[in-house]
Every structure is written in structure tokens, then in C-alpha cells.
Amino acid sequence: MHVTGTVPQSAPASQETPAAAPAAEDTDGNTGRHARRFGLPVATALVMGNILGGGIFLLPASVAPYGTVSLLAFGVLTVGAIALALVFGRLAERDPRTGGPYVYAREAFGDFAGFLAAWAYWITTWVSNAALAVAAVGYLDVLIPVNGHRWTACLAALVLQWLPALANFAGTRYVGAVQLVSTVLKFAPLLLVAVGGLFFFDPDNLGPFHSGGGSPIGAVSACAAILLFSYLGVESAAVSAGEVDNARRNVGRATVIGTTGAALVYLLGTLSVFGTVAHDRLVKSTAPFSDAVNAMFGGTWGGWAVALAALVSMTGCLNGWTLLSAQTPYAAAQDGLFPAAFARRRRGVPTVGVGVTVVLASLLTVYNFASGSGKVFEMLVLVTTFTATVPYLLATAAQLFHLVSGRREQVDRARLVRDAVIAAVAIAFSMWLVAGAGYAAVYQGVLFLFAGVIVYAVLAARRRATA
């Protein structure tokens, strides 16, 4: 969709400032030296860093039991993820405000749809942050033994959450710096395996094309259920559009470049691990990238290198997700759809949103370690795989709404067919995400959404009373 560039008159205060502005504004109207707008490199790093969390270091072993047919699943998912990235780029071109899917859903379908997008995305971010920190402790244990004592591991997980939060409190200038540096550092070992592994590639290590029973199509679907959520984060630049310099142009570019770059690392990395580690060993591996490095160069230093890379990757991912966890509630609060405190911003960062998010994630982390069982925690993590699809579906539906409405001031008809096909692929991808979450996760996720309906009712009543 090609748009005219007009923004609705009801645009809240989060609306993008002129592209030439060197810094983001605080809520008091002052421009701080710690607030900086994100250029294309940082916006791209935000997308790539949030897509490439710690999961990439385990993915090859996760899909190895299905055989090399899993590479087809990667290809199919990549097409869907890029289509979704293109949709976000089009929507950001039309409405470049902080909030991403929330802004698009509200503008197209009204307050309630916007609130559901914001509520579901907020749940996804803070529960995922807790999960990511707990997973990072496993990699930290390779370097510094911490898993031997429950509360030592809990303290390590809390530190891993609060360090990125402190970077966010310091301002967008530091958030962008941490994100750019961590993305570059994590790419070094990943590219070493993804590209270097091709020189040590042995076809005999690949194993069968399709392992196990069933049809190859069934195997692709089974692999997709594991890989579907590897691409969560494609919306990162759109959610932070208000902090992106020249957002109408750069959000779309950063989203597509970041998603494509992450996809290439996924595909090349998995292919290289398949070709350097024997299939029967890879199926049982708990550190496939470590095994690949050891097979390429010998020795046992691969485990340390990959553990360090995973920690850098997860810290950068936590840094980016912490910012995103505050951006959507910030945009919703400015429209009266979230508590007003979430609209407070200093140094370009919604500080209340960051604080609430890190506290909730910390409480969930402590509960996980105190319970001594990961079952409740794992259930909540699975729920987030469903809640993440709610804003995706609402955003793609908003794109479809604008295309079908056919209003000349919003749609360039010369691009209508192409954008309609892209939107259809993105919707199919989002629906596939819902199916991949599983029945239990969808059931629990709907309960989370219904809890949000109660919150919406209270806030709507207050807004009406004030009016």
C-alpha cells in the first residue's frame, strides 16, 4: 500500500517529530542529551537483535530429528515472516507513531481493538523477558557455575534482567548503543559457523531427508510448530517508530532488512551445523553450535565461545524487548487506554512502563525458582506464543481493511494487487502462528485476553466520567 502521508487528526502526543530532530522529547517538552532518535542501522539492529535471541543456539538440534526436510520449513516460514515485515513497513509508512500494531488496530477498528493489541503485546513482552533471563542462566553456568544453588541462579537471572532495564532508564541513546554493539558481537560467532561451516561441509553428515514416520508435508508442519516463534520480533521497529528517524521510510527498510538478515543467519547456520555435525550426534546435542565449532577446529573451546555469544545475544535481546515492553503501553496510555502513569517518559524512554515490566518479570522469575518446578512457568511461556499473534493478526487485518476500503487518499491502486497478496500471506502466517501455539496455549491465552477486557471496562468508564 502506498499512502499519501497524512496522519489522522487524532494523533496522540507520541506522533513522530520531524525527521531532522536529533533527539526524542521528554514528556515535559525538553530534549535531553541522553535521548537520541534511532537511525536505520540501530533500527535494523533492534529488529535483528529481537528476532535472534538465544533460541538460535538450540534450533539445529531441535529440528534435526525430522531430517533435512526441516530446511523447507525454514524457507516457508521465512516467506511468511518477510510478508509480515512488508505489511508492517506499509503500515508504518502510513502512520509512523510509537505503538506499532496498537496504533494500526486502533486507527482501523477503534479503541477496543487497539487495547486488545496493546494488552496482548504487553503480556508477551514481560513474560518473554522472564523466560529469556531464566534460559540465559543455563549459558552463564558454562562460564560461571551458578545452577548448583537455586537462589544463586535466581539472583543471576534477576541481574540479567535489570542490567538491560538500567540501560533503558539511561535513555534511548544508551539503548541504541547496547543494541547495536550486542547485535554485532553476537553475529561474529554465528557468522563464523554459518559461513565458515560451509568450508567444512560434509554431505555424509546430513542424514536422511525425512526421518521418522508420516509424510514429508507432515514433517514440514511439525518442524514449523517448533520454528514458528523464531521470527517473533519482526514488529520491533514499528513498535518504536516514534523514536526512529524518518520513520515513514526507515521503519519499513529496517524491518525487511532485519528480518531478511535474521532469516539468512537461521538458514545458513542450520545448514552448516547439519553439514559439520553427524546426524546421530546432532539429534542428541545440547549445544549444536559448540559441537560445530569443535568439529571445524578441534578442541573443546567451542562451548565457552558459544556460551559467551549466547549471553551477549540474550542480553541484547532483553535490552530491545525491555524497550518494546514499554512503548506499546506508552502509546495506549496517551489515548487513555492504559493507566496514565505509562505515558510518562524521560530521556526518550517510557520509564514507568520499563519499571513495571522489569518488576513483573522479576516476580515471575522468583516464583519460577521458588516453586522448584518449571511447569507453571512453561505454561505461561507457551501462552505468550499465542498472545503475540493477536497484535499480528489485528495489524494485518488493518492493512487488509485499508486495501479493501479503496479510499483514494489512502491506497495507491497501482500497488493494490501486490499489497493484497502480501497481506494475504501475512495473515496466513499469523494464523499458522495461532495453530502452532497449541490448544492449551490458546485456551490459557484467551483467559489472559478476557482479563484485559475487565481492565478496559474500568479505564473506559473513567474516561467517560472525565469527559
Side-chain angles (χ1 to χ4, degrees):
M1 177 180 67
H2 181 70
V3 297
T4 60
T6 58
V7 179
Q9 294 299 316
S10 60
S14 59
Q15 183 173 329
E16 180 194 35
T17 54
E25 278 192 358
D26 296 337
T27 50
D28 58 4
N30 295 325
T31 300
R33 62 187 179 87
H34 299 289
R36 291 291 185 273
R37 297 178 68 79
F38 299 152
L40 179 60
V42 173
T44 302
L46 187 65
V47 175
M48 295 183 74
N50 286 349
I51 294 176
L52 292 172
I56 185 174
F57 295 96
L58 296 174
L59 278 179
S62 300
V63 297
Y66 298 97
T68 53
V69 69
S70 57
L71 296 175
L72 293 179
F74 259 126
V76 173
L77 289 174
T78 297
V79 172
I82 292 177
L84 189 60
L86 289 169
V87 167
F88 278 122
R90 291 294 189 207
L91 289 167
E93 183 182 344
R94 180 179 187 275
D95 197 341
R97 290 179 287 163
T98 292
Y102 157 75
V103 172
Y104 314 143
R106 179 175 180 264
E107 197 275 335
F109 308 120
D111 288 348
F112 185 63
F115 172 82
L116 282 182
W119 178 261
Y121 194 75
W122 183 58
I123 291 173
T124 300
T125 53
W126 65 263
V127 175
S128 296
N129 275 8
L132 196 58
V134 171
V137 171
Y139 289 102
L140 178 64
D141 190 62
V142 176
L143 304 173
I144 305 173
V146 293
N147 271 336
H149 189 275
R150 180 192 304 177
W151 295 112
T152 302
C154 180
L155 179 61
L158 293 176
V159 170
L160 288 170
Q161 289 178 37
W162 278 90
L163 286 177
L166 292 177
N168 275 265
F169 284 130
T172 52
R173 175 181 181 180
Y174 299 98
V175 173
V178 171
Q179 197 66 27
L180 190 59
V181 171
S182 64
T183 300
V184 171
L185 290 178
K186 85 169 69 173
F187 264 39
L190 291 176
L191 289 177
L192 173 65
V193 176
V195 178
L198 299 178
F199 294 95
F200 296 86
F201 193 89
D202 185 355
D204 293 336
N205 289 327
L206 291 176
F209 174 73
H210 172 40
S211 301
S215 66
I217 295 178
V220 170
S221 297
C223 290
I226 298 174
L227 302 172
L228 278 171
F229 311 106
S230 302
Y231 286 104
L232 292 182
V234 298
E235 75 289 346
S236 301
V239 172
S240 296
E243 279 61 61
V244 177
D245 188 32
N246 192 9
R248 294 188 190 279
R249 181 186 182 192
N250 284 337
V251 166
R253 294 171 66 195
T255 302
V256 173
I257 294 172
T259 303
T260 304
L264 287 175
V265 173
Y266 276 145
L267 289 168
L268 287 178
T270 302
L271 180 62
S272 293
V273 171
F274 275 17
T276 54
V277 181
H279 181 261
D280 56 348
R281 182 183 177 187
L282 181 60
V283 170
K284 302 176 183 179
S285 176
T286 58
F289 274 79
S290 294
D291 292 339
V293 172
N294 291 336
M296 289 162 58
F297 304 107
T300 59
W301 58 272
W304 285 73
V306 171
L308 183 60
L311 278 174
V312 171
S313 176
M314 288 184 168
T315 301
C317 194
L318 280 167
N319 178 68
W321 278 107
T322 299
L323 176 64
L324 296 187
S325 68
Q327 295 286 27
T328 298
Y330 164 77
Q334 289 205 316
D335 295 322
L337 300 181
F338 249 67
F342 284 86
R344 298 174 187 171
R345 187 168 69 165
R346 293 179 61 84
R347 298 175 174 178
V349 175
T351 51
V352 172
V354 169
V356 171
T357 292
V358 72
V359 168
L360 288 174
S362 297
L363 290 174
L364 184 56
T365 300
V366 171
Y367 176 72
N368 175 68
F369 283 99
S371 66
S373 172
K375 290 185 178 180
V376 174
F377 191 78
E378 290 174 4
M379 181 273 292
L380 290 173
V381 171
L382 287 175
V383 167
T384 65
T385 61
F386 164 71
T387 57
T389 65
V390 174
Y392 285 3
L393 278 170
L394 287 171
T396 51
Q399 169 73 337
L400 188 62
F401 167 79
H402 294 309
L403 292 173
V404 173
S405 67
R407 287 178 286 182
R408 292 183 179 180
E409 71 275 12
Q410 293 179 337
V411 179
D412 182 348
R413 293 182 182 275
R415 298 186 178 183
L416 180 61
V417 174
R418 185 186 68 180
D419 284 353
V421 171
I422 292 173
V425 173
I427 289 175
F429 176 69
S430 300
M431 292 298 294
W432 201 5
L433 284 172
V434 175
Y439 293 107
V442 171
Y443 170 75
Q444 299 289 346
V446 169
L447 294 181
F448 271 87
L449 292 181
F450 283 173
V453 172
I454 299 173
V455 175
Y456 176 80
V458 173
L459 293 173
R462 288 182 176 178
R463 283 192 299 137
R464 177 171 295 183
T466 301

